[in-house]
Amino acid sequence: MTPPRARSWGRKGVTPVVRVRGRGSGRVSMAGLACYKPGKRSRMFYSVREYRGRKGEPKGIGWRDLRDLLVRAHIQLGGPIVLVWDNLRMHLAEPMREFIAAHANWLTVFQLPSYTPDLNPQEGIWSLVKRDIGNLAAADLGQITRAVKRKLKMVQYRPEVINGCLAGTGLALDA
């Protein structure tokens, strides 16, 4: 459980020290959708998964989790989805492509060019989450998970922050 590092304030000449346990005890994986529609409030859907290193436990977000996230967004939004995403391996998996083809009536997918995080508004949201937990000295993995979920919930209820992440890409919605 290597903690994320961020800058901190300290007395001149005295380096601030954040003590954490050195053993690895897992990781937290996140997946999310930033949803935009002209004239409507911006929305965000997310999924968080812990990996504790147990036998048979998934190591992170898989294609089934992405599928479930898309289905949940479709049900809650009540309409078709135009999905723009990067070239993450799970996005390109064969079962995911089959799911997209089977649901072409409500799901249209556009791939971003290889490695273009500056065009992905969700990257701005991940940046906000990581900045919030930057100097967190967590006692266990559950504390990190709670901090991540708390920050994602805060962003979810602030559509102006989600809009700001879209504005940060330089992209715009046309009505």
Side-chain angles (χ1 to χ4, degrees):
M1 188 167 65
T2 306
R5 293 182 298 175
R7 294 191 179 268
S8 180
W9 294 97
R11 275 201 228 133
K12 189 174 185 177
V14 180
T15 303
V17 177
V18 179
R19 299 200 184 279
V20 295
R21 293 187 182 117
R23 61 180 164 78
S25 65
R27 66 176 167 215
V28 177
S29 300
M30 305 176 285
L33 298 171
C35 304
Y36 304 95
K37 186 174 183 180
K40 300 284 185 178
R41 169 176 88 84
S42 297
R43 311 263 309 264
M44 184 183 75
F45 300 92
Y46 64 88
S47 179
V48 177
R49 175 176 291 238
E50 285 184 353
Y51 172 66
R52 296 183 178 275
R54 296 182 180 130
K55 187 174 182 174
E57 181 182 28
K59 289 187 177 181
I61 302 288
W63 74 269
R64 288 181 183 92
D65 299 310
L66 294 175
R67 176 199 62 197
D68 295 345
L69 187 62
L70 287 169
V71 169
R72 192 171 74 221
H74 172 64
I75 291 168
Q76 289 187 20
L77 294 172
I81 294 176
V82 177
L83 183 63
V84 180
W85 64 14
D86 55 14
N87 290 318
L88 182 68
R89 190 171 39 135
M90 283 302 124
H91 298 168
L92 304 173
E94 184 63 31
M96 193 69 212
R97 284 187 285 182
E98 291 171 3
F99 172 77
I100 292 167
H103 295 89
N105 58 332
W106 61 266
L107 183 60
T108 305
V109 177
F110 294 99
Q111 296 286 140
L112 286 172
S114 296
Y115 197 71
T116 53
D118 50 329
L119 295 177
N120 188 351
Q122 194 65 38
E123 293 294 334
I125 293 170
W126 299 145
S127 175
L128 292 171
V129 171
K130 290 175 185 176
R131 187 180 324 151
D132 192 54
I133 64 170
N135 283 333
L136 176 67
D140 62 355
L141 190 61
Q143 190 174 0
I144 294 173
T145 304
R146 286 189 300 275
V148 166
K149 286 182 177 180
R150 183 175 51 247
K151 185 61 177 183
L152 286 170
K153 185 65 78 174
M154 287 171 43
V155 171
Q156 195 175 35
Y157 285 105
R158 296 183 61 202
E160 67 275 5
V161 173
I162 301 169
N163 289 339
C165 291
L166 178 65
T169 65
L171 302 174
L173 293 176
D174 292 333

